[in-house]
Amino acid sequence: MSVRISPDHERAARTLLRDRSRARVLVAMSPQQPDALVGAVIAVAAESEIELELIVADLTGAFGFLDASGVEAVIKGELRITSIAGAIPRLLSDYVDHVPTSLWDVDRSIASGAFAIDIVLARVAAGSTNEDVSLGSMIGYMPSALSTSASVGFEVVESGPRGAHAPFDIPIDRATALVRAENPTTESETAKRAPSPEHRRIGNQVATLIPDGATIQFGLGAVPTAVIGALHDKRDLGVHSGIMAAPLLELMDSGVISGAEKSRDRGIHVATGVLAANLPASRWGASLRLAPVSETHSPTTLLGHDRLWAVNSAFEIDLTGQVNAEYAGAFRIASGGGQTDFMRAAHVSEGGGAILAITSRTKHGESRIRQFTEPHVRVTLSGNDVDFVVTEFGVAQLRDRSADERRSALISVAHPRDRPNLAHGKGRIP
């Protein structure tokens, strides 16, 4: 395990599991995922023969709460894990369940009690007073979870970023069990490497589609990060997204992202969390507002934005427009999360658009544009949800196009060596 379980973590786990024969445990979305506390709950449940299910949204996909015995327990079916967002270790792909709905749908089910949970675990920051704690850098679905009658375990660290607006302080006595811990040494961030030439070309192509004054949602990964880097010549962009990633700071500092023309929350950048949690709150400035998934991903909220543009990536798209953002070959290693929430809203937004930005090939030389989605793959987005597909070879417009026109447009932005096979009905490279 990447973290050490202290005696205090073990005591907290025993308090949370006392008198239970089974427990369904909802874990806060990373970076508020308290690996040591989750690990302690797993260990105590195994020792006490308590049937345990973990509901997780690990954006890193590291599953740092599992040691070797925990991995073995998952493979043997002794420990059940269900993913609602984020990534999954390839080793556990066949053994981790998932909820095949959008993140907003999951949040709504948590709040209503339809998605029943017994225990909630979260890493929180010290609050503004001794009487409360802060949800810190990731609000996520925690407000909905904390509104239920579930028992609560908090791992409290000394500090963490807080949204300048609505910091979401929680009374400390909401916790059934509480353990103090040190600040995490680092927070995982995506796409720290310099963008490749292919990524830069994609970024430049996407930038030609996005108008000044647009409100943008960015997905995670190297391609959306490259898009951010290509927007320096734009004016008065706004952000309403699931996650605020560190590369956005440069555009905020330069004034490219000002939010001055947003239809709602004018001048404010809205997200449910940030992925540069090691930066001080002051670095994000007073214009950042962190809000729960029930607001950030809500169709009502999103449809209040004109010129909403969603920029996301995926593993592949087929010639009918079906998008796979979850399966890499035979392995399901990611969840669609909030992608469907934002892409559908951007598609219907006045002056907006839904963009899928992908490299034409995988690093193994396989085409990301396929003849048809494999039967074992669950489709993340239908062709109805995507307006533009952008690769390093150009822009394929799917909006307002017939099935044959979409097919031709997608073939035109595939890798040149893959186009003959696609045009002749062959979905694989020889």
Side-chain angles (χ1 to χ4, degrees):
M1 180 175 292
S2 60
V3 291
R4 179 182 177 184
I5 298 175
S6 70
D8 287 343
H9 284 101
E10 183 179 343
R11 281 191 289 272
R14 293 191 184 282
T15 297
L16 291 164
L17 293 170
R18 185 179 296 132
D19 299 326
R20 298 183 188 271
S21 60
R22 59 188 302 171
R24 200 178 197 204
V25 180
L26 178 68
V27 182
M29 190 182 300
S30 59
Q32 302 306 105
Q33 177 176 285
D35 284 345
L37 184 54
V38 178
V41 167
I42 294 171
V44 171
E47 173 193 312
S48 306
E49 297 184 341
I50 297 170
E51 185 179 338
L52 191 67
E53 179 187 5
L54 298 178
I55 316 296
V56 302
D58 191 336
L59 299 183
T60 71
F63 278 32
F65 47 82
L66 290 179
D67 58 12
S69 63
V71 170
E72 184 178 3
V74 174
I75 293 173
K76 288 182 175 180
E78 298 167 355
L79 170 62
R80 184 180 177 193
I81 299 180
T82 301
S83 174
I84 55 177
I88 301 164
R90 190 176 292 252
L91 172 67
L92 299 178
S93 173
D94 289 339
Y95 309 100
V96 174
D97 197 4
H98 68 280
V99 178
T101 56
S102 75
L103 192 55
W104 179 76
D105 276 323
V106 171
D107 181 272
R108 183 172 59 162
S109 296
I110 292 170
S112 71
F115 196 84
I117 50 176
D118 302 305
I119 299 170
V120 176
L121 302 179
R123 176 186 292 145
V124 296
S128 54
T129 73
N130 292 331
E131 308 264 322
D132 55 52
V133 293
S134 166
L135 291 180
S137 60
M138 177 62 70
I139 308 302
Y141 42 75
M142 277 299 102
S144 292
L146 294 172
S147 72
T148 71
S149 60
S151 298
V152 175
F154 282 152
E155 180 184 273
V156 185
V157 297
E158 286 306 309
S159 63
R162 296 152 60 90
H165 304 268
F168 281 93
D169 284 351
I170 306 297
I172 201 166
D173 60 9
R174 177 65 181 90
T176 310
L178 186 146
V179 58
R180 303 282 177 177
E182 295 181 357
N183 286 325
T185 52
T186 59
E187 293 289 351
S188 297
E189 296 175 34
T190 58
K192 283 189 173 182
R193 294 174 298 177
S196 68
E198 291 81 9
H199 293 155
R200 285 195 292 270
R201 286 198 291 272
I202 292 170
N204 291 335
Q205 298 270 13
V206 171
T208 66
L209 298 172
I210 296 175
D212 290 341
T215 295
I216 311 178
Q217 174 263 337
F218 296 98
L220 299 177
V223 177
T225 299
V227 173
I228 294 171
L231 297 175
H232 290 280
D233 293 333
K234 299 295 178 179
R235 296 176 54 190
D236 291 326
L237 299 178
V239 176
H240 184 105
S241 193
I243 300 296
M244 293 285 289
L248 289 169
L249 282 168
E250 185 176 345
L251 296 184
M252 291 166 63
D253 291 343
S254 67
V256 169
I257 293 178
S258 68
E261 296 189 24
K262 292 179 72 176
S263 304
R264 57 185 300 162
D265 298 307
R266 186 158 294 185
I268 302 297
H269 317 306
V270 179
T272 199
V274 297
L275 270 192
N278 52 325
L279 293 174
S282 59
R283 183 65 182 86
W284 289 96
S287 61
L288 172 65
R289 181 166 73 87
L290 299 183
V293 163
S294 59
E295 176 186 342
T296 56
H297 292 58
S298 163
T300 302
T301 301
L302 294 175
L303 291 176
H305 285 285
D306 293 334
R307 290 176 296 177
L308 177 65
W309 287 79
V311 181
N312 289 277
S313 196
F315 293 118
E316 61 188 25
I317 183 171
D318 72 17
L319 293 181
T320 72
Q322 295 183 126
V323 175
N324 162 30
E326 302 175 42
Y327 289 81
F331 299 96
R332 186 182 184 279
I333 60 172
S335 293
Q339 186 174 116
T340 54
D341 296 323
F342 285 100
M343 293 288 274
R344 288 171 179 169
H347 169 70
V348 301
S349 172
E350 185 70 30
I355 300 173
L356 186 76
I358 57 174
T359 55
S360 64
R361 281 182 164 184
T362 70
K363 63 182 179 181
H364 301 297
E366 297 175 346
S367 179
R368 292 192 187 276
I369 299 176
R370 308 294 298 274
Q371 188 68 224
F372 197 75
T373 302
E374 295 284 356
H376 72 276
V377 170
R378 189 182 82 84
V379 173
T380 309
L381 295 167
S382 77
N384 297 333
D385 301 320
V386 182
D387 295 314
F388 303 94
V389 177
V390 181
T391 75
E392 68 272 29
F393 294 105
V395 177
Q397 180 176 330
L398 306 191
R399 177 191 286 172
D400 305 321
R401 297 292 185 263
S402 71
D404 284 347
E405 289 169 339
R406 290 182 177 201
R407 176 185 174 89
S408 296
L410 286 166
I411 292 173
S412 74
V413 298
H415 193 284
R417 294 181 182 176
D418 298 325
R419 294 173 194 172
N421 284 343
L422 292 168
H424 289 90
K426 299 176 182 179
R428 298 179 183 273
I429 302 172

